[in-house]
Amino acid sequence: MPCSRRRFIAIAAALASTPVFIEEARADAPMVSESDPTAQALGYKANASQVDKAKYAKYQAGQSCSTCQLWQGKAGAASGPCPMFGGKQVSSGGWCSAYVKKA
Ligand code: SF4
């Protein structure tokens, strides 16, 4: 019995610390490159004004990562994590075709 209690405590401690580890990894995550295959597939541009408007007709002036529902950066930050890129950092002024206006 003591062994299984210790094991339970060890597992609980490991699970409790996991989200902290993920948050730390995100803070250090690299910036997404426009040449990244996912970035190219989604038409990501670090500067939204450079979006291929012919190809991505849904883009509207004024849209950017910082106003996207998927943006996980802090308000006013120059970059922040995006789940579309596995938590890598995107530019607050960027845009990709997965853009969803923040509610
Ligand atoms: Fe930016 Fe949203 Fe595209 Fe992520 S999903 S890169 S936050 S526009």
Side-chain angles (χ1 to χ4, degrees):
M1 194 63 146
C3 268
S4 59
R5 179 187 278 181
R6 256 186 248 129
R7 186 172 166 77
F8 170 78
I9 291 170
I11 291 170
L15 289 174
S17 66
T18 301
V20 172
F21 173 76
I22 290 170
E23 285 303 317
E24 285 172 356
R26 284 178 176 169
D28 294 341
M31 288 295 291
V32 170
S33 163
E34 290 178 2
S35 60
D36 177 298
T38 306
Q40 294 201 328
L42 294 174
Y44 170 77
K45 292 290 181 190
N47 182 342
S49 68
Q50 294 174 357
V51 167
D52 182 345
K53 295 160 190 81
K55 191 171 179 183
Y56 300 104
K58 74 176 253 184
Y59 170 77
Q60 292 177 357
Q63 293 180 342
S64 69
C65 293
S66 64
T67 61
C68 175
Q69 189 78 47
L70 298 170
W71 165 258
Q72 295 181 334
K74 292 179 180 162
S79 62
C82 174
M84 290 306 294
F85 295 96
K88 283 184 183 175
Q89 306 268 326
V90 294
S91 168
S92 63
W95 187 91
C96 86
S97 59
Y99 178 88
V100 178
K101 188 175 167 49
K102 218 178 257 184

